[in-house]
PDB file of all heavy atoms in Angstrom:
ATOM      1  N   ALA A   1      70.073 104.562 114.924  1.00  0.00           N
ATOM      2  CA  ALA A   1      70.449 103.527 115.895  1.00  0.00           C
ATOM      3  C   ALA A   1      71.943 103.553 116.160  1.00  0.00           C
ATOM      4  O   ALA A   1      72.391 103.413 117.303  1.00  0.00           O
ATOM      5  CB  ALA A   1      70.018 102.153 115.390  1.00  0.00           C
ATOM      6  N   HIS A   2      72.736 103.752 115.104  1.00  0.00           N
ATOM      7  CA  HIS A   2      74.181 103.773 115.255  1.00  0.00           C
ATOM      8  C   HIS A   2      74.619 104.977 116.080  1.00  0.00           C
ATOM      9  O   HIS A   2      75.485 104.873 116.948  1.00  0.00           O
ATOM     10  CB  HIS A   2      74.851 103.813 113.881  1.00  0.00           C
ATOM     11  CG  HIS A   2      76.306 103.475 113.923  1.00  0.00           C
ATOM     12  ND1 HIS A   2      76.776 102.189 113.735  1.00  0.00           N
ATOM     13  CD2 HIS A   2      77.396 104.239 114.144  1.00  0.00           C
ATOM     14  CE1 HIS A   2      78.093 102.189 113.827  1.00  0.00           C
ATOM     15  NE2 HIS A   2      78.491 103.419 114.064  1.00  0.00           N
ATOM     16  N   ALA A   3      73.999 106.122 115.834  1.00  0.00           N
ATOM     17  CA  ALA A   3      74.351 107.323 116.581  1.00  0.00           C
ATOM     18  C   ALA A   3      74.007 107.163 118.061  1.00  0.00           C
ATOM     19  O   ALA A   3      74.767 107.580 118.945  1.00  0.00           O
ATOM     20  CB  ALA A   3      73.636 108.536 115.994  1.00  0.00           C
ATOM     21  N   ASN A   4      72.877 106.551 118.351  1.00  0.00           N
ATOM     22  CA  ASN A   4      72.465 106.358 119.734  1.00  0.00           C
ATOM     23  C   ASN A   4      73.359 105.357 120.466  1.00  0.00           C
ATOM     24  O   ASN A   4      73.632 105.486 121.655  1.00  0.00           O
ATOM     25  CB  ASN A   4      71.013 105.868 119.792  1.00  0.00           C
ATOM     26  CG  ASN A   4      70.042 106.926 119.330  1.00  0.00           C
ATOM     27  OD1 ASN A   4      70.342 108.119 119.394  1.00  0.00           O
ATOM     28  ND2 ASN A   4      68.875 106.500 118.852  1.00  0.00           N
ATOM     29  N   SER A   5      73.842 104.336 119.731  1.00  0.00           N
ATOM     30  CA  SER A   5      74.624 103.272 120.370  1.00  0.00           C
ATOM     31  C   SER A   5      76.082 103.645 120.541  1.00  0.00           C
ATOM     32  O   SER A   5      76.714 103.311 121.536  1.00  0.00           O
ATOM     33  CB  SER A   5      74.517 101.982 119.552  1.00  0.00           C
ATOM     34  OG  SER A   5      73.177 101.568 119.455  1.00  0.00           O
ATOM     35  N   PHE A   6      76.644 104.329 119.542  1.00  0.00           N
ATOM     36  CA  PHE A   6      78.080 104.540 119.541  1.00  0.00           C
ATOM     37  C   PHE A   6      78.484 105.998 119.601  1.00  0.00           C
ATOM     38  O   PHE A   6      79.659 106.297 119.752  1.00  0.00           O
ATOM     39  CB  PHE A   6      78.695 103.916 118.274  1.00  0.00           C
ATOM     40  CG  PHE A   6      78.474 102.437 118.198  1.00  0.00           C
ATOM     41  CD1 PHE A   6      77.482 101.906 117.389  1.00  0.00           C
ATOM     42  CD2 PHE A   6      79.256 101.574 118.933  1.00  0.00           C
ATOM     43  CE1 PHE A   6      77.277 100.551 117.317  1.00  0.00           C
ATOM     44  CE2 PHE A   6      79.053 100.210 118.863  1.00  0.00           C
ATOM     45  CZ  PHE A   6      78.068  99.694 118.051  1.00  0.00           C
ATOM     46  N   GLY A   7      77.544 106.903 119.455  1.00  0.00           N
ATOM     47  CA  GLY A   7      77.903 108.307 119.449  1.00  0.00           C
ATOM     48  C   GLY A   7      78.617 108.658 118.163  1.00  0.00           C
ATOM     49  O   GLY A   7      78.426 108.047 117.132  1.00  0.00           O
ATOM     50  N   ARG A   8      79.501 109.655 118.237  1.00  0.00           N
ATOM     51  CA  ARG A   8      80.206 110.103 117.042  1.00  0.00           C
ATOM     52  C   ARG A   8      81.254 109.084 116.636  1.00  0.00           C
ATOM     53  O   ARG A   8      81.973 108.547 117.454  1.00  0.00           O
ATOM     54  CB  ARG A   8      80.891 111.455 117.312  1.00  0.00           C
ATOM     55  CG  ARG A   8      79.926 112.609 117.428  1.00  0.00           C
ATOM     56  CD  ARG A   8      80.670 113.863 117.841  1.00  0.00           C
ATOM     57  NE  ARG A   8      81.676 114.232 116.869  1.00  0.00           N
ATOM     58  CZ  ARG A   8      81.459 114.973 115.797  1.00  0.00           C
ATOM     59  NH1 ARG A   8      80.241 115.403 115.546  1.00  0.00           N
ATOM     60  NH2 ARG A   8      82.424 115.291 114.978  1.00  0.00           N
ATOM     61  N   VAL A   9      81.335 108.834 115.344  1.00  0.00           N
ATOM     62  CA  VAL A   9      82.357 107.964 114.793  1.00  0.00           C
ATOM     63  C   VAL A   9      83.282 108.830 113.954  1.00  0.00           C
ATOM     64  O   VAL A   9      82.828 109.542 113.078  1.00  0.00           O
ATOM     65  CB  VAL A   9      81.721 106.849 113.914  1.00  0.00           C
ATOM     66  CG1 VAL A   9      82.801 105.981 113.315  1.00  0.00           C
ATOM     67  CG2 VAL A   9      80.771 106.019 114.750  1.00  0.00           C
ATOM     68  N   GLU A  10      84.545 108.753 114.215  1.00  0.00           N
ATOM     69  CA  GLU A  10      85.466 109.700 113.611  1.00  0.00           C
ATOM     70  C   GLU A  10      85.998 109.281 112.248  1.00  0.00           C
ATOM     71  O   GLU A  10      86.980 109.807 111.780  1.00  0.00           O
ATOM     72  CB  GLU A  10      86.654 109.923 114.564  1.00  0.00           C
ATOM     73  CG  GLU A  10      86.241 110.548 115.892  1.00  0.00           C
ATOM     74  CD  GLU A  10      85.575 111.896 115.684  1.00  0.00           C
ATOM     75  OE1 GLU A  10      85.973 112.639 114.791  1.00  0.00           O
ATOM     76  OE2 GLU A  10      84.635 112.192 116.432  1.00  0.00           O
ATOM     77  N   HIS A  11      85.365 108.309 111.608  1.00  0.00           N
ATOM     78  CA  HIS A  11      85.804 107.905 110.270  1.00  0.00           C
ATOM     79  C   HIS A  11      84.615 107.804 109.335  1.00  0.00           C
ATOM     80  O   HIS A  11      83.753 106.980 109.526  1.00  0.00           O
ATOM     81  CB  HIS A  11      86.480 106.528 110.302  1.00  0.00           C
ATOM     82  CG  HIS A  11      87.818 106.534 110.941  1.00  0.00           C
ATOM     83  ND1 HIS A  11      88.877 107.223 110.423  1.00  0.00           N
ATOM     84  CD2 HIS A  11      88.263 105.920 112.064  1.00  0.00           C
ATOM     85  CE1 HIS A  11      89.941 107.025 111.192  1.00  0.00           C
ATOM     86  NE2 HIS A  11      89.588 106.247 112.187  1.00  0.00           N
ATOM     87  N   THR A  12      84.526 108.644 108.325  1.00  0.00           N
ATOM     88  CA  THR A  12      83.602 108.382 107.235  1.00  0.00           C
ATOM     89  C   THR A  12      84.341 107.566 106.198  1.00  0.00           C
ATOM     90  O   THR A  12      85.502 107.238 106.363  1.00  0.00           O
ATOM     91  CB  THR A  12      83.105 109.706 106.633  1.00  0.00           C
ATOM     92  OG1 THR A  12      84.230 110.493 106.290  1.00  0.00           O
ATOM     93  CG2 THR A  12      82.235 110.441 107.623  1.00  0.00           C
ATOM     94  N   GLY A  13      83.628 107.263 105.106  1.00  0.00           N
ATOM     95  CA  GLY A  13      84.156 106.315 104.139  1.00  0.00           C
ATOM     96  C   GLY A  13      85.582 106.548 103.713  1.00  0.00           C
ATOM     97  O   GLY A  13      86.439 105.692 103.880  1.00  0.00           O
ATOM     98  N   GLN A  14      85.889 107.714 103.148  1.00  0.00           N
ATOM     99  CA  GLN A  14      87.221 107.923 102.598  1.00  0.00           C
ATOM    100  C   GLN A  14      88.283 107.864 103.684  1.00  0.00           C
ATOM    101  O   GLN A  14      89.259 107.135 103.579  1.00  0.00           O
ATOM    102  CB  GLN A  14      87.267 109.291 101.887  1.00  0.00           C
ATOM    103  CG  GLN A  14      88.643 109.690 101.383  1.00  0.00           C
ATOM    104  CD  GLN A  14      89.036 108.910 100.152  1.00  0.00           C
ATOM    105  OE1 GLN A  14      88.192 108.318  99.506  1.00  0.00           O
ATOM    106  NE2 GLN A  14      90.308 108.891  99.833  1.00  0.00           N
ATOM    107  N   ALA A  15      88.113 108.617 104.769  1.00  0.00           N
ATOM    108  CA  ALA A  15      89.128 108.644 105.810  1.00  0.00           C
ATOM    109  C   ALA A  15      89.275 107.293 106.483  1.00  0.00           C
ATOM    110  O   ALA A  15      90.375 106.845 106.787  1.00  0.00           O
ATOM    111  CB  ALA A  15      88.781 109.706 106.852  1.00  0.00           C
ATOM    112  N   ALA A  16      88.158 106.619 106.720  1.00  0.00           N
ATOM    113  CA  ALA A  16      88.221 105.311 107.357  1.00  0.00           C
ATOM    114  C   ALA A  16      88.893 104.294 106.467  1.00  0.00           C
ATOM    115  O   ALA A  16      89.660 103.459 106.923  1.00  0.00           O
ATOM    116  CB  ALA A  16      86.804 104.843 107.709  1.00  0.00           C
ATOM    117  N   SER A  17      88.614 104.377 105.165  1.00  0.00           N
ATOM    118  CA  SER A  17      89.241 103.441 104.244  1.00  0.00           C
ATOM    119  C   SER A  17      90.741 103.671 104.200  1.00  0.00           C
ATOM    120  O   SER A  17      91.533 102.740 104.100  1.00  0.00           O
ATOM    121  CB  SER A  17      88.637 103.600 102.852  1.00  0.00           C
ATOM    122  OG  SER A  17      89.105 102.621 101.988  1.00  0.00           O
ATOM    123  N   GLU A  18      91.161 104.937 104.277  1.00  0.00           N
ATOM    124  CA  GLU A  18      92.588 105.227 104.327  1.00  0.00           C
ATOM    125  C   GLU A  18      93.209 104.599 105.570  1.00  0.00           C
ATOM    126  O   GLU A  18      94.271 103.976 105.510  1.00  0.00           O
ATOM    127  CB  GLU A  18      92.823 106.749 104.366  1.00  0.00           C
ATOM    128  CG  GLU A  18      92.225 107.519 103.208  1.00  0.00           C
ATOM    129  CD  GLU A  18      92.976 107.292 101.922  1.00  0.00           C
ATOM    130  OE1 GLU A  18      93.954 106.528 101.926  1.00  0.00           O
ATOM    131  OE2 GLU A  18      92.571 107.873 100.894  1.00  0.00           O
ATOM    132  N   ALA A  19      92.551 104.766 106.711  1.00  0.00           N
ATOM    133  CA  ALA A  19      93.098 104.221 107.948  1.00  0.00           C
ATOM    134  C   ALA A  19      93.159 102.710 107.903  1.00  0.00           C
ATOM    135  O   ALA A  19      94.119 102.087 108.349  1.00  0.00           O
ATOM    136  CB  ALA A  19      92.235 104.677 109.131  1.00  0.00           C
ATOM    137  N   CYS A  20      92.099 102.085 107.336  1.00  0.00           N
ATOM    138  CA  CYS A  20      92.059 100.633 107.249  1.00  0.00           C
ATOM    139  C   CYS A  20      93.205 100.117 106.411  1.00  0.00           C
ATOM    140  O   CYS A  20      93.802  99.109 106.709  1.00  0.00           O
ATOM    141  CB  CYS A  20      90.731 100.187 106.664  1.00  0.00           C
ATOM    142  SG  CYS A  20      90.584  98.420 106.448  1.00  0.00           S
ATOM    143  N   ALA A  21      93.503 100.823 105.302  1.00  0.00           N
ATOM    144  CA  ALA A  21      94.536 100.347 104.400  1.00  0.00           C
ATOM    145  C   ALA A  21      95.940 100.645 104.913  1.00  0.00           C
ATOM    146  O   ALA A  21      96.915 100.237 104.338  1.00  0.00           O
ATOM    147  CB  ALA A  21      94.344 100.988 103.018  1.00  0.00           C
ATOM    148  N   GLY A  22      96.065 101.382 105.988  1.00  0.00           N
ATOM    149  CA  GLY A  22      97.357 101.590 106.604  1.00  0.00           C
ATOM    150  C   GLY A  22      98.207 102.643 105.929  1.00  0.00           C
ATOM    151  O   GLY A  22      99.428 102.578 105.957  1.00  0.00           O
ATOM    152  N   VAL A  23      97.589 103.644 105.299  1.00  0.00           N
ATOM    153  CA  VAL A  23      98.385 104.626 104.580  1.00  0.00           C
ATOM    154  C   VAL A  23      98.571 105.918 105.367  1.00  0.00           C
ATOM    155  O   VAL A  23      99.342 106.772 104.970  1.00  0.00           O
ATOM    156  CB  VAL A  23      97.738 104.979 103.228  1.00  0.00           C
ATOM    157  CG1 VAL A  23      97.619 103.742 102.379  1.00  0.00           C
ATOM    158  CG2 VAL A  23      96.381 105.588 103.441  1.00  0.00           C
ATOM    159  N   ALA A  24      97.845 106.103 106.448  1.00  0.00           N
ATOM    160  CA  ALA A  24      97.977 107.335 107.220  1.00  0.00           C
ATOM    161  C   ALA A  24      99.324 107.355 107.919  1.00  0.00           C
ATOM    162  O   ALA A  24      99.696 106.415 108.594  1.00  0.00           O
ATOM    163  CB  ALA A  24      96.861 107.429 108.244  1.00  0.00           C
ATOM    164  N   ARG A  25     100.057 108.417 107.726  1.00  0.00           N
ATOM    165  CA  ARG A  25     101.328 108.534 108.417  1.00  0.00           C
ATOM    166  C   ARG A  25     101.101 108.936 109.866  1.00  0.00           C
ATOM    167  O   ARG A  25     100.046 109.438 110.222  1.00  0.00           O
ATOM    168  CB  ARG A  25     102.208 109.553 107.688  1.00  0.00           C
ATOM    169  CG  ARG A  25     102.541 109.097 106.265  1.00  0.00           C
ATOM    170  CD  ARG A  25     103.415 110.095 105.555  1.00  0.00           C
ATOM    171  NE  ARG A  25     103.686 109.648 104.191  1.00  0.00           N
ATOM    172  CZ  ARG A  25     104.393 110.345 103.326  1.00  0.00           C
ATOM    173  NH1 ARG A  25     104.893 111.521 103.658  1.00  0.00           N
ATOM    174  NH2 ARG A  25     104.607 109.874 102.113  1.00  0.00           N
ATOM    175  N   ILE A  26     102.092 108.736 110.684  1.00  0.00           N
ATOM    176  CA  ILE A  26     101.946 108.980 112.120  1.00  0.00           C
ATOM    177  C   ILE A  26     101.534 110.428 112.356  1.00  0.00           C
ATOM    178  O   ILE A  26     102.141 111.354 111.841  1.00  0.00           O
ATOM    179  CB  ILE A  26     103.271 108.684 112.849  1.00  0.00           C
ATOM    180  CG1 ILE A  26     103.598 107.190 112.705  1.00  0.00           C
ATOM    181  CG2 ILE A  26     103.188 109.083 114.306  1.00  0.00           C
ATOM    182  CD1 ILE A  26     104.942 106.823 113.285  1.00  0.00           C
ATOM    183  N   GLY A  27     100.476 110.582 113.142  1.00  0.00           N
ATOM    184  CA  GLY A  27     100.022 111.910 113.509  1.00  0.00           C
ATOM    185  C   GLY A  27      99.014 112.517 112.567  1.00  0.00           C
ATOM    186  O   GLY A  27      98.392 113.514 112.882  1.00  0.00           O
ATOM    187  N   GLU A  28      98.818 111.900 111.360  1.00  0.00           N
ATOM    188  CA  GLU A  28      97.895 112.488 110.401  1.00  0.00           C
ATOM    189  C   GLU A  28      96.459 112.045 110.631  1.00  0.00           C
ATOM    190  O   GLU A  28      95.533 112.757 110.295  1.00  0.00           O
ATOM    191  CB  GLU A  28      98.306 112.105 108.971  1.00  0.00           C
ATOM    192  CG  GLU A  28      99.569 112.815 108.531  1.00  0.00           C
ATOM    193  CD  GLU A  28      99.902 112.470 107.100  1.00  0.00           C
ATOM    194  OE1 GLU A  28      99.571 111.364 106.654  1.00  0.00           O
ATOM    195  OE2 GLU A  28     100.503 113.329 106.434  1.00  0.00           O
ATOM    196  N   LEU A  29      96.269 110.850 111.181  1.00  0.00           N
ATOM    197  CA  LEU A  29      94.916 110.359 111.383  1.00  0.00           C
ATOM    198  C   LEU A  29      94.917 109.443 112.587  1.00  0.00           C
ATOM    199  O   LEU A  29      95.582 108.427 112.601  1.00  0.00           O
ATOM    200  CB  LEU A  29      94.436 109.600 110.144  1.00  0.00           C
ATOM    201  CG  LEU A  29      92.997 109.075 110.183  1.00  0.00           C
ATOM    202  CD1 LEU A  29      92.034 110.244 110.322  1.00  0.00           C
ATOM    203  CD2 LEU A  29      92.686 108.300 108.920  1.00  0.00           C
ATOM    204  N   GLU A  30      94.188 109.818 113.623  1.00  0.00           N
ATOM    205  CA  GLU A  30      94.115 109.008 114.831  1.00  0.00           C
ATOM    206  C   GLU A  30      92.709 108.467 114.999  1.00  0.00           C
ATOM    207  O   GLU A  30      91.800 109.199 115.355  1.00  0.00           O
ATOM    208  CB  GLU A  30      94.499 109.857 116.062  1.00  0.00           C
ATOM    209  CG  GLU A  30      95.965 110.242 116.108  1.00  0.00           C
ATOM    210  CD  GLU A  30      96.865 109.042 116.279  1.00  0.00           C
ATOM    211  OE1 GLU A  30      96.408 108.027 116.844  1.00  0.00           O
ATOM    212  OE2 GLU A  30      98.022 109.089 115.847  1.00  0.00           O
ATOM    213  N   PRO A  31      92.479 107.199 114.715  1.00  0.00           N
ATOM    214  CA  PRO A  31      91.132 106.646 114.876  1.00  0.00           C
ATOM    215  C   PRO A  31      90.731 106.582 116.339  1.00  0.00           C
ATOM    216  O   PRO A  31      91.570 106.409 117.217  1.00  0.00           O
ATOM    217  CB  PRO A  31      91.246 105.245 114.273  1.00  0.00           C
ATOM    218  CG  PRO A  31      92.704 104.912 114.370  1.00  0.00           C
ATOM    219  CD  PRO A  31      93.448 106.199 114.256  1.00  0.00           C
ATOM    220  N   THR A  32      89.429 106.734 116.603  1.00  0.00           N
ATOM    221  CA  THR A  32      88.936 106.686 117.971  1.00  0.00           C
ATOM    222  C   THR A  32      88.576 105.282 118.407  1.00  0.00           C
ATOM    223  O   THR A  32      88.220 105.049 119.535  1.00  0.00           O
ATOM    224  CB  THR A  32      87.686 107.577 118.103  1.00  0.00           C
ATOM    225  OG1 THR A  32      86.700 107.126 117.167  1.00  0.00           O
ATOM    226  CG2 THR A  32      88.031 109.018 117.820  1.00  0.00           C
ATOM    227  N   ARG A  33      88.590 104.322 117.448  1.00  0.00           N
ATOM    228  CA  ARG A  33      88.351 102.936 117.821  1.00  0.00           C
ATOM    229  C   ARG A  33      89.131 102.046 116.867  1.00  0.00           C
ATOM    230  O   ARG A  33      89.544 102.472 115.799  1.00  0.00           O
ATOM    231  CB  ARG A  33      86.853 102.597 117.746  1.00  0.00           C
ATOM    232  CG  ARG A  33      86.209 102.846 116.401  1.00  0.00           C
ATOM    233  CD  ARG A  33      84.723 102.565 116.468  1.00  0.00           C
ATOM    234  NE  ARG A  33      84.052 102.925 115.248  1.00  0.00           N
ATOM    235  CZ  ARG A  33      83.899 102.104 114.216  1.00  0.00           C
ATOM    236  NH1 ARG A  33      84.408 100.891 114.272  1.00  0.00           N
ATOM    237  NH2 ARG A  33      83.256 102.480 113.136  1.00  0.00           N
ATOM    238  N   THR A  34      89.353 100.811 117.253  1.00  0.00           N
ATOM    239  CA  THR A  34      90.127  99.900 116.436  1.00  0.00           C
ATOM    240  C   THR A  34      89.337  99.494 115.204  1.00  0.00           C
ATOM    241  O   THR A  34      88.166  99.172 115.286  1.00  0.00           O
ATOM    242  CB  THR A  34      90.481  98.635 117.238  1.00  0.00           C
ATOM    243  OG1 THR A  34      91.195  99.038 118.389  1.00  0.00           O
ATOM    244  CG2 THR A  34      91.326  97.684 116.400  1.00  0.00           C
ATOM    245  N   LEU A  35      89.989  99.501 114.034  1.00  0.00           N
ATOM    246  CA  LEU A  35      89.346  99.092 112.802  1.00  0.00           C
ATOM    247  C   LEU A  35      89.676  97.631 112.536  1.00  0.00           C
ATOM    248  O   LEU A  35      90.831  97.249 112.479  1.00  0.00           O
ATOM    249  CB  LEU A  35      89.844  99.948 111.627  1.00  0.00           C
ATOM    250  CG  LEU A  35      89.489 101.436 111.701  1.00  0.00           C
ATOM    251  CD1 LEU A  35      90.141 102.169 110.560  1.00  0.00           C
ATOM    252  CD2 LEU A  35      87.995 101.628 111.667  1.00  0.00           C
ATOM    253  N   ALA A  36      88.646  96.803 112.383  1.00  0.00           N
ATOM    254  CA  ALA A  36      88.853  95.379 112.134  1.00  0.00           C
ATOM    255  C   ALA A  36      89.073  95.160 110.646  1.00  0.00           C
ATOM    256  O   ALA A  36      88.156  94.845 109.914  1.00  0.00           O
ATOM    257  CB  ALA A  36      87.638  94.572 112.607  1.00  0.00           C
ATOM    258  N   CYS A  37      90.308  95.383 110.184  1.00  0.00           N
ATOM    259  CA  CYS A  37      90.585  95.348 108.760  1.00  0.00           C
ATOM    260  C   CYS A  37      91.309  94.080 108.362  1.00  0.00           C
ATOM    261  O   CYS A  37      92.134  93.571 109.106  1.00  0.00           O
ATOM    262  CB  CYS A  37      91.450  96.540 108.352  1.00  0.00           C
ATOM    263  SG  CYS A  37      90.703  98.128 108.761  1.00  0.00           S
TER     264      CYS A  37
END
């Protein structure tokens, strides 16, 4: 259902958690949607 509704999501657990916590330096990780953290 998630794949059909949203298509590809560019954050799995580890990478998304890094982005949520704000540790990715500029240019290292660009999320494709806003994370509600």
Side-chain angles (χ1 to χ4, degrees):
H2 195 93
N4 292 336
S5 300
F6 299 101
R8 289 174 61 86
V9 178
E10 297 301 324
H11 288 296
T12 53
Q14 174 74 17
S17 187
E18 303 288 1
C20 178
V23 300
R25 297 180 181 178
I26 296 175
E28 289 183 330
L29 183 61
E30 291 295 334
T32 58
R33 57 184 174 89
T34 302
L35 295 175
C37 302

